[in-house]
Amino acid sequence: MDSRYRFLEEYSINHWPSLSTLMFDGWVLRFADGYTRRANSISPLYPAGRGAGAETSMDVIEKIRHCERIYAENRLPTIFKITPGVHPAHLDRVLEERGYSLADTCCVLTLHWEQLPEPEPAAVTIDEGDGSEWMAHYCAISGVTDRDTQILTRMLANMKARKGFISLSHEGQVVACGLGVLEGDYIGLYNIVTAPSYRNQGFGKQLILNLLRWGQEHGARHSYLQVVCSNAPALRLYGKLGYTETYRYWYRVKENLNIG
């Protein structure tokens, strides 16, 4: 991955905050009581800080074992987020050799605009507060459990960037939700969801256009989002809006045997 895009990974960490973070020799270890792989994984974004010497295979294995112990102590599987710019470059191969399984290949899509299409009239609300009302609608549509709702509430409370919780209603009922997070001249899109019985009717497109318009009003000129590469309907929607793939990432997962 071109180093120009590392900021997107940093934005992702900022905009989907964990409950706790540890820095370990260039790797970012994140913990959120198991809710979402993204918030409970290791991002090997930066080179090791062990002087001028290059990382060796033994150094990497020692680091992996150390991470495995930490995640096991927190009763979590050890998960690595593998981007094209991981440090060291051969980390994915080392993890595979250690028995880590491959999971959830995701596409990072970006959009750059001079002028956005005008959204169609719709009953849209954007909450820049704590998002408590939005949370109830989002969790109902997405089927988030009560336990995970509590974790998500704490995660979003940790977010320091400006955020907008958007809801779109049809005939008085919230049918689509999303979250936009602003940093620099980018808006990141998260938690975009439409109720199953209202999909393929244009509600998702109008939700996103309204969210991008809100971002533009606050200085955004670019957008990014992350979507599982096998989610063909979502990819079609984002493609129609002009999003293009910038890079991919995936997870390497190892269940810790002493998790009860």
Side-chain angles (χ1 to χ4, degrees), residues 4 22-23 30 85 95 99 114 142 175 188 192 207 216 226:
R4 290 178 301 169
L22 291 175
M23 293 297 300
R30 295 172 14 102
L95 293 171
E114 294 295 332
S142 300
V175 299
I192 305 297
L207 178 94
Q216 180 174 264
Q226 298 148 104

Side-chain angles (χ1 to χ4, degrees), residues 62-202:
E62 288 175 356
K63 288 174 69 171
I64 292 170
R65 286 173 175 163
H66 180 77
C67 292
E68 289 171 350
R69 288 193 295 271
I70 292 175
Y71 278 85
E73 289 168 359
N74 285 274
R75 304 176 68 80
L76 293 170
T78 306
I79 304 174
F80 283 82
K81 184 181 180 184
I82 305 298
T83 67
V86 296
H87 289 277
H90 65 296
L91 177 61
D92 187 56
R93 175 172 55 80
V94 174
L95 293 171
E96 183 178 20
E97 291 171 352
R98 286 184 61 79
Y100 279 71
S101 60
L102 179 67
D104 287 349
T105 298
C106 298
C107 300
V108 177
L109 310 181
T110 55
L111 172 67
H112 313 279
W113 68 81
E114 294 295 332
Q115 186 173 357
L116 285 170
E118 194 66 32
E120 296 176 4
V124 169
T125 60
I126 298 180
D127 177 10
E128 296 187 38
D130 63 7
S132 55
E133 185 174 349
W134 174 92
M135 182 76 71
H137 295 302
Y138 169 76
C139 292
I141 292 174
S142 300
V144 179
T145 66
D146 290 343
R147 174 188 179 276
D148 288 344
T149 296
Q150 295 175 14
I151 298 172
L152 178 57
T153 300
R154 293 163 60 201
M155 288 168 59
L156 294 178
N158 278 352
M159 190 186 300
K160 304 307 177 187
R162 186 170 192 167
K163 53 189 177 289
F165 299 96
I166 186 170
S167 302
L168 186 150
S169 298
H170 177 67
E171 297 180 345
Q173 179 180 348
V174 173
V175 299
C177 296
L179 169 63
V181 189
L182 291 163
E183 188 167 352
D185 57 358
Y186 271 78
I187 177 171
L189 271 53
Y190 291 84
N191 298 62
I192 305 297
V193 62
T194 302
S197 59
Y198 292 91
R199 291 173 184 167
N200 302 313
Q201 299 179 45

Side-chain angles (χ1 to χ4, degrees), residues 31-80:
F31 307 87
D33 288 350
Y35 180 63
T36 75
R37 285 195 175 111
R38 191 185 306 168
N40 291 273
S41 57
I42 301 157
S43 291
L45 289 180
Y46 309 106
R50 299 187 177 183
E55 290 175 296
T56 66
S57 297
M58 184 57 68
D59 290 330
V60 173
I61 291 172
E62 288 175 356
K63 288 174 69 171
I64 292 170
R65 286 173 175 163
H66 180 77
C67 292
E68 289 171 350
R69 288 193 295 271
I70 292 175
Y71 278 85
E73 289 168 359
N74 285 274
R75 304 176 68 80
L76 293 170
T78 306
I79 304 174
F80 283 82

Side-chain angles (χ1 to χ4, degrees), residues 111-120 205-206 208-213 216 240-242:
L111 172 67
H112 313 279
W113 68 81
E114 294 295 332
Q115 186 173 357
L116 285 170
E118 194 66 32
E120 296 176 4
K205 177 180 178 181
Q206 294 309 313
I208 294 170
L209 286 176
N210 277 279
L211 192 52
L212 293 176
R213 178 69 64 190
Q216 180 174 264
K240 290 177 182 178
L241 290 165

